[in-house]
């Protein structure tokens, strides 16, 4: 229980630290959350950036990675999570100038 509390606290601090690095990302939607097989991720990227999507488990292991390339504008992506075990995960939208962290739950 203490471990989960500390992990959530670190996640919160991490999100605050990187807040300024996601200034070009807006209108982020992740649905359904929690999910069983597929997560839909949509967002608006104001300026072009070399982006990728990562999903990490709570131990920090990378469970999913998708390189999106140099993108801008409205983005919509489906992520297959059917291979992930039930639990909480961290979704990271990462670029050269942008970095956004969100939580995702798998049923």
């Amino acid at each position: 229980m203490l471990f989960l509390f500390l992990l959530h606290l670190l996640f919160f601090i991490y999100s605050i630290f990187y807040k300024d690095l996601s200034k070009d990302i807006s209108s982020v939607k992740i649905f359904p959350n929690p999910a069983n097989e597929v997560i839909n991720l949509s967002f608006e990227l104001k300026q072009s950036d070399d982006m990728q999507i990562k999903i990490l488990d709570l131990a920090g292991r990378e469970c999913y990675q998708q390189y999106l390339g140099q993108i801008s504008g409205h983005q919509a992506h489906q992520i297959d999570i059917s291979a992930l075990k039930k639990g909480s995960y961290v979704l990271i939208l990462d670029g050269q100038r942008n970095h956004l962290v969100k939580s995702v739950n798998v049923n």
Side-chain angles (χ1 to χ4, degrees), residues 7-62:
L7 194 57
H8 285 285
L9 180 61
L10 285 173
F11 174 73
F12 177 72
I13 292 169
Y14 186 72
S15 296
I16 291 172
F17 177 73
Y18 281 108
K19 184 176 182 182
D20 290 337
L21 295 179
S22 63
K23 62 184 175 184
D24 291 337
I25 302 173
S26 63
S27 304
V28 177
K29 294 179 186 164
I30 300 172
F31 61 94
N33 192 11
N36 294 322
E37 296 185 16
V38 174
I39 292 175
N40 297 290
L41 168 65
S42 66
F43 59 95
E44 193 77 28
L45 190 57
K46 294 175 189 171
Q47 293 187 11
S48 181
D49 201 353
D50 194 28
M51 302 294 290
Q52 65 180 332
I53 301 168
K54 293 181 183 180
I55 296 180
L56 308 178
D57 66 14
L58 295 183
R61 292 181 293 254
E62 189 174 288

Side-chain angles (χ1 to χ4, degrees), residues 39-95:
I39 292 175
N40 297 290
L41 168 65
S42 66
F43 59 95
E44 193 77 28
L45 190 57
K46 294 175 189 171
Q47 293 187 11
S48 181
D49 201 353
D50 194 28
M51 302 294 290
Q52 65 180 332
I53 301 168
K54 293 181 183 180
I55 296 180
L56 308 178
D57 66 14
L58 295 183
R61 292 181 293 254
E62 189 174 288
C63 303
Y64 177 88
Q65 192 274 337
Q66 180 183 0
Y67 178 67
L68 303 176
Q70 196 75 24
I71 59 171
S72 64
H74 179 74
Q75 299 293 313
H77 302 275
Q78 279 197 335
I79 301 169
D80 181 5
I81 59 162
S82 60
L84 300 181
K85 295 179 182 177
K86 181 179 178 178
S88 296
Y89 294 84
V90 177
L91 184 143
I92 301 172
L93 191 52
D94 194 27

